[in-house]
Amino acid sequence: MSILVVEDESALAEVLRYNLESEGFKVAVAHDGRSAMEQLEDSHPDLVILDWMLPEMSGLDICRTMRRRPELRDVPVIMLTAKGEEYDRVRGLDAGADDYVVKPFSPKELIARVRAVLRRTKAGASGEPLRAGPLEMDLEAHRVRREGNEVALAPTEFRLLRVLMERPGRVYSREQLLDLVWGRDSEVELRTVDVHVRRLRVALNANGAIDLIRTVRSEGYSLEANPN
Ligand code: CA
């Protein structure tokens, strides 16, 4: 597995390189946004660790740019943020980051997150079920279970849930869901998204179970794998 570390503080970048390499990862380092983009284009890493504050181009901009490019869209991103910036956390996930780690952090913690994100994002490709909180999705058998109980879903709801399960906690706008579930060229209207989200909700939350789908007013929807 190859990881690109994008971090302008050389000392931290080297600590990360050392720790990731001793865990068996192949590591490349970029110190600014521009060289990060060049390296991303040249060598498609399996995961990117992306510092938020960078010279030339912010981590947020890099993440957004990656999500717009078909060849980089599926590369998972872990964002490094400064301490306690809740607002930034939301913006980071919204820009397409898969997870975030708040500075200062221990290399051990970061490596645990790296493994978790790789497990989650590679699940579909390896034939392993996709998991998020109480949900399990078997992509080959087209089956969904919530706490072991089968959830019957129509194909559109299945695709919609898959998108949401691949990045739990990320808020998707209706436009984004339309692109991802129906395809960019579809003629489907935006309110169709709401209709299918409603159906998915009913199917998932049968028997009064806690609602796993969060509606973010005027923003969109997300899957909350661990709602309280
Ligand atoms: Ca920085």
Side-chain angles (χ1 to χ4, degrees):
M1 290 280 175
S2 59
I3 296 182
L4 175 64
V5 173
V6 187
E7 169 59 73
D8 57 322
E9 281 170 60
S10 315
L12 179 56
E14 284 316 307
V15 168
L16 294 181
R17 183 207 289 277
Y18 174 80
N19 281 278
L20 288 162
E21 280 179 350
S22 37
E23 292 289 317
F25 294 103
K26 214 174 131 235
V27 181
V29 172
H31 294 290
D32 63 69
R34 188 169 301 171
S35 67
M37 281 315 300
E38 283 169 10
Q39 292 201 42
L40 274 168
E41 281 154 12
D42 292 347
S43 61
H44 288 186
D46 294 301
L47 183 138
V48 181
I49 295 172
L50 192 52
D51 185 31
W52 186 287
M53 299 296 284
L54 289 169
E56 310 255 357
M57 198 177 169
S58 78
L60 202 62
D61 290 336
I62 293 173
C63 195
R64 285 207 188 96
T65 306
M66 286 175 67
R67 295 304 176 235
R68 279 200 299 267
R69 300 212 182 156
E71 74 280 14
L72 296 174
R73 184 175 292 156
D74 296 326
V75 178
V77 171
I78 296 179
M79 202 81 113
L80 305 180
T81 75
K83 200 174 176 180
E85 289 173 321
E86 189 68 12
Y87 174 64
D88 282 353
R89 179 185 83 90
V90 174
R91 278 206 301 164
L93 293 175
D94 206 29
D98 296 88
D99 203 354
Y100 71 101
V101 176
V102 178
K103 289 181 180 178
F105 54 84
S106 71
K108 218 174 164 181
E109 182 192 350
L110 180 67
I111 285 163
R113 299 293 190 90
V114 165
R115 292 203 188 285
V117 167
L118 285 174
R119 240 188 342 261
R120 208 161 75 206
T121 51
K122 299 284 174 212
S126 66
E128 285 215 2
L130 203 57
R131 290 194 177 88
L135 297 176
E136 193 179 291
M137 175 177 274
D138 183 332
L139 293 161
E140 286 174 351
H142 259 246
R143 278 203 161 136
V144 175
R145 290 196 169 83
R146 178 170 180 168
E147 277 148 358
N149 300 313
E150 183 116 17
V151 178
L153 293 179
T156 303
E157 280 74 60
F158 187 91
R159 287 205 305 277
L160 180 60
L161 180 61
R162 178 180 179 166
V163 167
L164 294 172
M165 279 180 75
E166 279 170 347
R167 301 191 203 284
R170 173 175 173 192
V171 178
Y172 288 93
S173 68
R174 292 144 92 218
E175 288 85 353
Q176 286 170 328
L177 289 174
L178 199 62
D179 282 354
L180 291 164
V181 177
W182 282 267
R184 201 160 282 255
D185 303 321
S186 88
E187 305 273 307
V188 165
E189 288 176 56
L190 272 184
R191 61 170 185 222
T192 308
V193 176
D194 301 323
V195 172
H196 287 277
V197 168
R198 204 177 307 137
R199 284 188 198 153
L200 176 61
R201 218 178 215 144
V202 169
L204 284 182
N205 305 337
N207 307 320
I210 295 174
D211 194 356
L212 298 175
I213 296 178
R214 186 162 70 105
T215 304
V216 185
R217 257 179 94 175
S218 73
E219 295 285 338
Y221 300 101
S222 71
L223 179 78
E224 297 302 306
N226 302 296
N228 307 303

